[in-house]
Amino acid sequence: MSTKKWRSYDVDPQPIGFGSHSKVYKGYDPIYHREVVIKRTTEIERANFEAMIMKRYGDHPYLVQYYDFFRDEHHAFIVMEKVRGDRLGEIREGTKREEEKAIQITINLLQGISHLNSIGFFHTDIGPQNILINNDDPDSVKLLDFGAAVQAGSDGIFKGVRKGGTVGFRPADEPKKKEIILDYSTDVYAAACICVYLLTGKAPFKPREALNELRNNRLKGILMKAMHVEREKRYHSAQELIKDLENFR
């Protein structure tokens, strides 16, 4: 199959993924002799912001690694590591994980969230489509796509319009258009929803009903706190939820 040349990269012209303003391609870096993934988008300013975030968080086991950024007149290109595995949302709907595995996947995801939050950013769009996993191995979990991320203020709060968010993985009562307030509990809420998704095989569109499917009342209580309808009553950091989940095991 013929390839295109983007800068020094050899690129398969058939995209492997699509977004509203972007396409994702497989490529090869002949300088470092490695396979890569390249996100090509028309939203140049947003891509520059996303690349900056990825460059700042550096090398973390549960965040997709950044390699390079470049642009032409009409597009921006983010080059990142090629990760083995599938998006969590591409795995057959209804797949339920054992409790221990679901908790460990969630803890590892929270470790990535904690690192991202520690440098002052909220992902805001954590859902099955933005999580990669290989053969359901918790150690292979990778959080990706930081195009909707926002920067926290000095008070740890973002006020403005949400740029992303997956229905069923964000508070149902959150305003969709007017100015909203996001803090460290925002990504933690989404991670708890991921845990429910792993345990039940379904997105928790109705959190209380979804939580009622869980048989373990102690685990249900932990996740209920993380997904509380009132922001002030949720966990205030990823590390808080990690601690309770680790103690649970």
Side-chain angles (χ1 to χ4, degrees), residues 10-245:
D10 300 314
V11 182
D12 184 334
Q14 295 299 318
I16 59 172
F18 299 86
S20 55
H21 299 279
S22 64
K23 293 181 181 180
V24 179
Y25 299 83
K26 290 189 297 184
Y28 180 76
D29 182 347
I31 296 176
Y32 290 97
H33 307 289
R34 62 191 178 191
E35 293 181 297
V36 298
V37 169
I38 302 178
K39 180 178 180 179
R40 179 175 183 256
T41 175
T42 55
E43 293 192 322
I44 295 174
E45 185 177 345
R46 193 68 203 169
N48 188 55
F49 183 70
E50 181 178 3
M52 178 272 292
I53 293 171
M54 296 178 72
K55 190 173 183 179
R56 283 187 58 181
Y57 69 59
D59 185 4
H60 189 279
Y62 306 121
L63 302 175
V64 170
Q65 188 174 358
Y66 164 88
Y67 288 152
D68 193 12
F69 174 83
F70 59 94
R71 54 174 292 184
D72 61 22
E73 187 178 353
H74 302 293
H75 298 91
F77 304 79
I78 303 175
V79 184
M80 62 197 86
E81 69 171 316
K82 184 179 185 297
V83 180
R84 293 179 60 191
D86 301 301
R87 292 178 186 252
L88 196 60
E90 294 172 348
I91 299 171
R92 182 175 59 84
E93 186 177 354
T95 300
K96 299 181 182 181
R97 276 74 174 184
E98 294 295 327
E99 193 172 275
E100 183 177 354
K101 178 169 285 189
I103 291 172
Q104 189 57 59
I105 290 172
T106 305
I107 287 173
N108 291 351
L109 174 63
L110 283 162
Q111 295 286 10
I113 291 170
S114 179
H115 181 66
L116 180 67
N117 291 169
S118 74
I119 63 169
F121 296 96
F122 308 142
H123 187 285
T124 82
D125 195 16
I126 296 169
Q129 79 285 358
N130 287 331
I131 299 169
L132 290 169
I133 191 166
N134 187 36
N135 292 325
D136 251 12
D137 178 6
D139 288 336
S140 73
V141 168
K142 294 274 188 177
L143 179 62
L144 71 156
D145 199 344
F146 302 87
V150 297
Q151 187 166 13
S154 58
D155 57 356
I157 290 175
F158 169 82
K159 294 181 180 180
V161 178
R162 180 192 269 278
K163 298 178 175 64
T166 304
V167 177
F169 295 85
R170 66 182 186 188
D173 61 333
E174 185 181 281
K176 294 179 174 60
K177 293 185 178 180
K178 63 183 181 180
E179 183 177 88
I180 57 173
I181 296 175
L182 305 178
D183 62 12
Y184 295 107
S185 73
T186 301
D187 287 345
V188 178
Y189 181 102
C193 290
I194 290 293
C195 192
V196 174
Y197 177 81
L198 292 168
L199 291 165
T200 66
K202 297 180 290 186
F205 294 109
K206 297 181 179 180
R208 187 166 295 278
E209 289 183 16
L211 287 165
N212 283 338
E213 290 190 32
L214 305 184
R215 296 180 179 180
N216 190 311
N217 287 329
R218 187 178 169 200
L219 178 58
K220 184 192 299 185
I222 291 171
L223 296 175
M224 190 173 290
K225 178 179 177 180
M227 298 166 63
H228 200 284
V229 66
E230 295 180 40
R231 183 167 52 88
E232 294 78 10
K233 295 183 179 180
R234 300 176 198 151
Y235 289 95
H236 298 300
S237 73
Q239 287 299 326
E240 286 185 11
L241 180 52
I242 288 171
K243 181 179 178 181
D244 277 3
L245 290 175

